[in-house]
Amino acid sequence: MTDPIKLSEAEVGKAYEVIKVEGPALIRRRIMDMGIIPGAKIKVLRLAPLLDPIEILVRGVPLSIRRAEAQYIIVRETS
Amino acid sequence: MKGTIKLALAGSPNVGKSTIFNALTGGRAWVGNWPGVTVEKKVGVMKLNGYKVEVVDLPGIYSLTAYSIDELIARNFIIEERPDVVVVIVSAINLERSLYLAVSLLELGVNLIVALNMVDLAEREGYVVDVKKLEALLRVPVVPTIAIKGIGIDKLKNIIIQSISNPRRNPAIVDYGDPIEKAISRLCSFMKTHTPEVVHTYHPRWLAIKLLENDRDVVEKVKLLPKGDLLINMANEMRKELESVVGDLEVYMVNQRYAKILEIVDKVVRRVRVKGISVSELLDTVLLDKFLGLPITITSIYLMLYFAYNVSLPLVDLVDALFSSLADYTRLILQDKAPLLASLLADGIITGVGTVLVFTPMIAIFYILVAILEDVGYMARVVFVLDKVLHRFMLPGKAIVPLILGFACNVPAVLSARTIEDENDRKTVIMICPLSTCSARLPVYLIIASAIFGTYAALAITSMYVLSIIFALVIGFLFKSFIFKGPSIGFIMELPPYLMPQSRTVLIKTWERTKRFLTKAGTVILAAAILVWLLSITGPKGLIGPEALEDPALLKASWVGAIGRALQPIFTPMGWDWGATIALFFGFMAKEVVVSTMAMVYGAEETSLGRAILAHFSPLSAYAYMIFVLLYVPCVATMAVIRSEIGLKYAVLTIMYQMVLAYLASLAVMFIGMILGLG
Ligand SMILES: Nc1nc2c(ncn2[C@@H]2O[C@H](COP(=O)(O)OP(=O)(O)OP(=O)(O)O)[C@@H](O)[C@H]2O)c(=O)[nH]1
Ligand SMILES: [Mg+2]
């Protein structure tokens, strides 16, 4: 099994699974309400041209998320 | 009449709530293909089987936890005003996430109907949703719809009628498992016996769940109720106990809800075609490309402005000619009989209002283009591409929307800042909104630039847009660093699929935005034109007469001349004469008035105003003047909306910083120009 990393450090094109959501209560709740909860699958689709935010696929729908928030999402690479 | 029914339309952002609202009520709520179009609740009325149904279109929310003002509006409406029926719109192409809100609403215990919208797009993606099964699993009615085509709306109306007499609720949709369910029922029975007032206001199961989750807002409200403290303490103790079993309770509860949703989705979604690569994905690989993304975004904004300018030019000339001949004709028939009236109509009203109205075609075309971009779904991509820039300046990503909207008109721009979660962020964005160069300023740039800069006119005008953005970012950064301190909360935004623009949607928006411009021409600008005319033909020594408008020497002796000359020394460094100064003075009302005042003061009509300007400005002083107009104050309408959004104090602060900024910036232009030897 691979080591957990922050979503902000994830690589484009790879698939991940959420392990934990951290951060201040409000941000954390917001992230979770969008369906990013432990066990959810995330695919990193692309980086914005200026490298931030990143576009991820969660629950079948693309989302844009800033690295600043993505760092609160702890993920593990899946195959 | 059987009475009034309150019906709320709820749903995640961009699922089609406003489209359904329009279909139900024949209303004209704004629709757009990016999250956060609706920022205020909008009410419409529908007659249904003898009932008067008040339909309320709400801003999109992902859950009942509220973060931003628009979300609070939605949440409070549903929780406090207790609509008789709630229709939750669920998107067939975003089933998991949009069902989350549906489940939250079920838990709240409302009388619910599910409208499963965008089934056409699901089919495009190659799957179908089994409506019957979904209905059985949720235990409330489900109606499939294609809102933009009006499909399913009649069925929805029938179901609404049924649910008025036969409410359908299902608060226990999610089973949280043994220890938690026990805690919930213990809290519920405690409420029933000890705090009946609480149960009166909220559904007991929902309240128990929220208290266990430690929902900030709910805890605050329960505290105020009799014996609320007792209840809260009890819930807190239970939470501690439960967390030793299941870990973080909040995470656990959200997890259970999504687990339930996944279970449902698994059962109701049937793939009919293997998933291919979708049009949206294909477009995004190009439009959001690492190298092409940024140039494409900037080019498209530029092209929009360029198009609006060029395509409308013949139309602008046509309207212009119309007004000129109207003025001439008025003079012709009235000159001898009533010279004063002829002058009021021709020189005052027709010239004044006409100067502004000639730009209607250009503004309408710009609005059409903006509306198309919004409807296609590209606006969300613009936000994605430019977000980093905003982040650098400590601004929230959502600030880009007000700033772009501001290019058309600052008033809707200020309102659209409601989607910004953080209060400090929102204040900052609202206060920089007026720096976004609205279409009202365009006439001023156009007249001056085309008179002075010839072939470089487009470049000069474009530079105003670029400077407008730079100033907005820098000032925003300063506000965030010194006044509204704190980190800017970023946001998570869905990137909607690309859709064909709907002509109805585009036309409604264009018309309503243009209407705002026309109304302003008919009220503020009309009043300003009359006032300027009046102050031009009278002076400290009494009536001068319409001759003042033809003879600069006479005009100098009028009130306009007096005020202009009194203020003029302030602008000596910029080399603006009293005519230019008085135009700025009246521009307080609306920036278009700058042009109409100049037209009157320089005794020129629209067509020859260019020549007059050439005589009164050097290229450098003209450019400084354009910068000043870009920055100097919000118009009256914008001031009013800033005040109502964030208070008088900030409205005044906005006016003051803008004046100082405008003065310093135009002074700097003169200074730099002199050094470069352009003076
Ligand atoms: N293909 C298709 N498009 C739809 C349907 N319903 C709505 N749309 C489009 O989806 C987009 C969003 O619609 P809106 O009605 O603005 O959505 P909303 O839920 O009010 O959005 P917010 O106010 O931003 O929360 C618009 O571009 C609509 O034209 C549908 O059934 N099928
Ligand atoms: Mg809407």
Side-chain angles (χ1 to χ4, degrees), chain B residues 14 18-19 22 27-38 42 363-379 401 405 408-409 412 501-517:
Chain B
N14 212 42
S18 300
T19 312
N22 291 346
R28 286 195 191 166
W30 284 14
V31 169
N33 188 18
W34 49 277
V37 175
T38 306
K42 179 153 186 153
I363 277 153
I365 290 174
F366 181 72
Y367 284 151
I368 288 179
L369 296 174
V370 172
I372 290 176
L373 276 200
E374 282 175 334
D375 216 32
V376 166
Y378 189 63
M379 210 56 124
V401 175
L405 275 186
C409 175
Q502 301 291 310
S503 54
R504 185 185 136 86
T505 306
V506 170
L507 290 178
I508 286 179
K509 266 200 235 174
T510 305
W511 166 237
E512 297 215 347
R513 284 172 174 155
T514 311
K515 197 168 75 183
R516 216 181 296 245
F517 172 79

Side-chain angles (χ1 to χ4, degrees), chain B residues 293-478:
Chain B
L294 198 58
I296 290 178
T297 305
I298 292 170
T299 311
S300 50
I301 297 174
Y302 177 78
L303 279 182
M304 217 158 64
L305 294 165
Y306 183 82
F307 233 74
Y309 176 59
N310 279 300
V311 173
S312 65
L313 223 49
L315 286 170
V316 170
D317 287 342
L318 185 74
V319 181
D320 184 26
L322 272 171
F323 276 104
S324 298
S325 30
L326 188 64
D328 288 345
Y329 185 69
T330 313
R331 267 189 218 107
L332 195 71
I333 51 171
L334 284 175
Q335 190 67 64
D336 300 329
K337 283 169 252 164
L340 210 56
L341 182 63
S343 172
L344 170 64
L345 288 177
D347 304 324
I349 295 173
I350 297 175
T351 309
V353 176
T355 317
V356 173
L357 282 185
V358 290
F359 293 100
T360 314
M362 179 177 305
I363 277 153
I365 290 174
F366 181 72
Y367 284 151
I368 288 179
L369 296 174
V370 172
I372 290 176
L373 276 200
E374 282 175 334
D375 216 32
V376 166
Y378 189 63
M379 210 56 124
R381 271 76 186 180
V382 172
V383 176
F384 180 69
V385 170
L386 297 180
D387 181 67
K388 170 73 175 288
V389 181
L390 289 147
H391 199 182
R392 265 285 148 79
F393 290 89
M394 290 170 66
L395 294 169
K398 284 187 185 170
I400 194 77
V401 175
L403 292 180
I404 289 182
L405 275 186
F407 282 167
C409 175
N410 290 168
V411 176
V414 168
L415 284 174
S416 72
R418 286 190 180 186
T419 53
I420 294 167
E421 287 88 353
D422 184 77
E423 203 40 36
N424 279 339
D425 277 351
R426 190 172 80 98
K427 285 194 182 123
T428 308
V429 173
I430 286 181
M431 288 179 63
I432 60 174
C433 260
L435 296 176
S436 178
T437 175
C438 65
S439 53
R441 278 163 255 192
L442 193 56
V444 188
Y445 307 151
L446 279 172
I447 293 273
I448 296 178
S450 45
I452 305 253
F453 299 110
T455 43
Y456 296 107
L459 195 65
I461 294 170
T462 311
S463 75
M464 287 299 125
Y465 284 82
V466 176
L467 283 173
S468 152
I469 289 297
I470 292 176
F471 275 115
L473 292 176
V474 173
I475 298 293
F477 180 74
L478 293 177

Side-chain angles (χ1 to χ4, degrees), chain A residues 28-29 33-34 59 64, chain B residues 63 96-97 248 250 493:
Chain A
R28 177 160 158 265
R29 183 69 199 234
D33 280 344
M34 301 289 287
R59 302 190 182 276
S64 139
Chain B
S63 72
E96 287 181 34
R97 198 167 293 129
D248 188 312
E250 201 185 356
M493 181 187 65

Side-chain angles (χ1 to χ4, degrees), chain B residues 487-498:
Chain B
S488 99
I489 299 180
F491 71 116
I492 309 174
M493 181 187 65
E494 283 182 16
L495 294 174
Y498 290 99

